[in-house]
């Protein structure tokens, strides 16, 4: 039986990963996985997705880690706070998301955004791994417009902070440096390449994967 194709999209903050991922999935007729991964994990640990979303692709602070430990319940605590009844560590969250990614990729063609998918599926027989990046000024302009930030300086701070957080998180969870071109089959600068051109190039890789590894 032919294995499904998995396209993983890793991206710098503001490089258009979700936008291009949706366009690609629609073009190919593939399953699109982004926030659905988090919703599935939330269901498995009986938490609201919103309670986990701020912790994705970044390491918990010391204060957050302490709260997770205290949530287990101190000896004198009768009822822990409801939002922390089922504490999930960074590693557990990553492993649960990896489990969801692996389950879907084993069954159907999919476009998967973020969450270390390039590493989680590194042994997938029909993997197409993509990295989207861009000059910080261009990405910060996108973020400023998208989130209604008050200044370019604030937007740049967001971009730099999120890039650092993702790099630290993926290094801790996978042991690999991020971003590094060797982790991906194609790297695209979305500040210089249009969405349509990016999708076209990725589609050509998918078509090649069908032929070479079909």
């Amino acid at each position: 039986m032919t294995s499904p194709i998995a396209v993983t999209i890793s991206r710098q903050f503001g490089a258009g990963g979700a936008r291009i991922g949706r366009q690609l999935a629609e073009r190919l007729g593939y399953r699109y996985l982004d926030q659905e991964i988090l919703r599935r994990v939330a269901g498995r640990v009986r938490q609201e997705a919103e309670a986990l979303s701020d912790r994705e692709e970044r390491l918990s602070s010391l204060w957050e880690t302490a709260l997770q430990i205290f949530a287990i319940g101190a000896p004198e605590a009768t009822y822990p706070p409801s939002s922390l009844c089922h504490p999930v560590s960074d590693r557990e969250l990553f492993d649960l998301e990896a489990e969801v990614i692996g389950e879907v990729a084993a069954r159907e063609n999919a476009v998967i955004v973020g969450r270390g998918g390039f590493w989680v599926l590194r042994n997938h027989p029909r993997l197409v791994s993509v990295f989207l990046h861009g000059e910080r000024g261009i990405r910060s302009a996108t973020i400023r417009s998208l989130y209604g930030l008050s200044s370019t300086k604030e937007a740049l701070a967001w971009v730099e902070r999120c890039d650092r957080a993702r790099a630290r998180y993926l290094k801790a969870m996978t042991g690999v440096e991020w971003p590094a071109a060797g982790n991906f089959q194609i790297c695209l600068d979305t500040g210089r390449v249009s969405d349509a051109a990016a999708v076209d190039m990725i589609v050509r890789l998918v078509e090649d994967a069908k032929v070479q590894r079909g």
Side-chain angles (χ1 to χ4, degrees), residues 139-198:
R139 291 189 288 124
S140 65
T142 299
I143 292 304
R144 183 179 180 183
S145 174
L146 187 62
Y147 292 99
L149 302 181
S150 60
S151 68
T152 298
K153 182 178 180 180
E154 183 182 11
L156 276 170
W158 273 42
V159 165
E160 292 170 358
R161 185 166 59 248
C162 288
D163 284 349
R164 284 196 304 269
R166 283 180 182 169
R168 289 181 61 242
Y169 177 80
L170 288 169
K171 175 67 173 179
M173 295 298 110
T174 71
V176 303
E177 297 295 337
W178 183 95
N183 294 323
F184 310 99
Q185 293 169 6
I186 187 171
C187 300
L188 297 172
D189 183 343
T190 55
R192 298 175 181 272
V193 175
S194 69
D195 287 6

Side-chain angles (χ1 to χ4, degrees), residues 50-63:
E50 290 77 8
L52 298 174
S53 62
D54 288 342
R55 292 180 48 212
E56 284 196 298
E57 298 186 285
R58 71 173 182 84
L59 297 175
S60 297
S61 67
L62 290 175
W63 175 243

Side-chain angles (χ1 to χ4, degrees), residues 44-187:
R44 294 182 185 189
V45 298
R46 293 182 294 169
Q47 285 196 25
E48 295 294 328
E50 290 77 8
L52 298 174
S53 62
D54 288 342
R55 292 180 48 212
E56 284 196 298
E57 298 186 285
R58 71 173 182 84
L59 297 175
S60 297
S61 67
L62 290 175
W63 175 243
E64 289 169 326
T65 301
L67 285 177
Q68 292 164 24
I69 294 171
F70 294 151
I72 296 173
E76 68 276 12
T78 306
Y79 300 106
S82 60
S83 63
L84 295 172
C85 283
H86 306 284
V88 179
S89 70
D90 293 335
R91 169 55 65 183
E92 289 169 331
L93 179 57
F94 180 84
D95 288 345
L96 285 165
E97 291 190 324
E99 185 178 279
V100 171
I101 290 170
E103 289 170 356
V104 174
R107 294 195 311 266
E108 57 189 303
N109 299 323
V111 174
I112 300 151
V113 176
R115 298 165 180 85
F118 72 94
W119 187 86
V120 171
L121 298 177
R122 63 196 181 281
N123 296 320
H124 192 286
R126 303 177 87 192
L127 172 66
V128 175
S129 54
V130 179
F131 177 62
L132 303 180
H133 62 99
E135 194 271 322
R136 284 186 303 171
I138 295 174
R139 291 189 288 124
S140 65
T142 299
I143 292 304
R144 183 179 180 183
S145 174
L146 187 62
Y147 292 99
L149 302 181
S150 60
S151 68
T152 298
K153 182 178 180 180
E154 183 182 11
L156 276 170
W158 273 42
V159 165
E160 292 170 358
R161 185 166 59 248
C162 288
D163 284 349
R164 284 196 304 269
R166 283 180 182 169
R168 289 181 61 242
Y169 177 80
L170 288 169
K171 175 67 173 179
M173 295 298 110
T174 71
V176 303
E177 297 295 337
W178 183 95
N183 294 323
F184 310 99
Q185 293 169 6
I186 187 171
C187 300

